[in-house]
Amino acid sequence: MNILQKKILTDGEALPGNILKVDSFLNHRIDVRALREIGKDFYELFKDKANDINKILTVEASGIALACYAAEYFDVPVVFAKKGQHKNIGSDVFTAEVFSFTKGTTYEIAVSRLYLHPEDKILIIDDFLANGQAVLGLQKIVKDAGATLVGAGIAITKAFQPGEKMLLDAGIDVRSLAAIERMDGGNIIFRE
Ligand code: 5GP
């Protein structure tokens, strides 16, 4: 069991509606010691492709800390997509619409054209994979930039929701540190 799986079991809370709350170490308070290890685990997960990755792309806010700790090990910069109002990054942007099933709303994400280029080889990192909409939006931005998507590293995949299969079927190399098979009455069961 890796550090993230251990933290989920000790500190995670399975809420009604198949929501996993990890505010105590990832989404609100950040356990930097655990994240340092998680960053290393992301590197191990994509070590075979490390030479093909020159940039990590994530989305604000919760992806940023994970992406930065992983980036330390890949020794590459991090670019994060901004959500909603993003006038401060200028109008020369790549954008995508992302539908959030958890919130029932659509929001726009944007990345300045200054920071994504056709020669870029991108690893997407995000905290959760549920219905796959956030990763799809990031994939569109990578495509629009003419860059190459090497893979998507996810901290927590809720494997009982459709996102993982949809992204794999779309040809994205999705790998997760903690894939949850089911959450039964508060119990969290990982996929073997
Ligand atoms: P997707 O686009 O794959 O449906 O959902 C990804 C985003 O939804 C994640 O970046 C995360 O912000 C949020 N999310 C989805 N499911 C959960 C969950 O169970 N717990 C938390 N904390 N966030 C979630």
Side-chain angles (χ1 to χ4, degrees):
M1 199 173 280
N2 62 36
I3 176 84
L4 176 60
Q5 291 168 337
K6 284 183 196 152
K7 290 290 286 183
I8 290 169
L9 292 185
T10 55
D11 301 353
E13 261 182 275
L15 300 183
N18 282 326
I19 295 291
L20 177 64
K21 196 168 176 191
V22 289
D23 281 10
S24 67
F25 66 95
L26 184 58
N27 284 158
H28 197 7
R29 178 172 61 176
I30 293 178
D31 181 336
V32 296
R33 194 172 288 168
L35 255 72
R36 205 175 291 133
E37 269 192 68
I38 291 169
K40 192 162 187 239
D41 287 344
F42 268 126
Y43 179 78
E44 293 296 327
L45 202 59
F46 277 98
K47 202 161 130 183
D48 57 319
K49 291 186 164 179
N51 291 333
D52 299 327
I53 294 163
N54 76 332
K55 206 168 271 180
I56 290 178
L57 178 65
T58 188
V59 57
E60 69 177 358
S62 299
I64 297 175
L66 287 167
C68 288
Y69 278 96
E72 280 275 0
Y73 293 92
F74 287 95
D75 199 19
V76 298
V78 172
V79 173
F80 64 90
K82 301 214 177 195
K83 282 182 182 169
Q85 291 296 317
H86 47 75
K87 293 195 174 71
N88 57 335
I89 61 171
S91 55
D92 213 5
V93 291
F94 301 110
T95 62
E97 297 283 313
V98 175
F99 179 71
S100 164
F101 284 91
T102 35
K103 296 197 182 96
T105 53
T106 299
Y107 58 91
E108 190 175 69
I109 56 172
V111 174
S112 167
R113 287 174 187 257
L114 290 174
Y115 304 123
L116 278 184
H117 306 111
E119 63 273 19
D120 281 334
K121 292 171 283 181
I122 306 286
L123 175 66
I124 290 174
I125 295 256
D126 205 4
D127 59 343
F128 274 90
L129 171 56
N131 289 292
Q133 299 301 303
V135 173
L136 270 192
L138 292 170
Q139 181 201 32
K140 176 188 180 286
I141 285 175
V142 171
K143 269 193 191 156
D144 289 352
T148 305
L149 181 59
V150 177
I154 306 294
I156 305 166
T157 290
K158 293 191 288 181
F160 52 87
Q161 291 183 332
E164 183 184 46
K165 183 174 184 309
M166 194 245 309
L167 298 178
L168 289 170
D169 288 348
I172 301 175
D173 183 3
V174 184
R175 306 182 193 180
S176 317
L177 294 178
I180 298 174
E181 198 170 82
R182 56 186 199 278
M183 301 200 295
D184 278 346
N187 286 329
I188 296 161
I189 294 107
F190 295 112
R191 185 167 65 200
E192 289 297 315

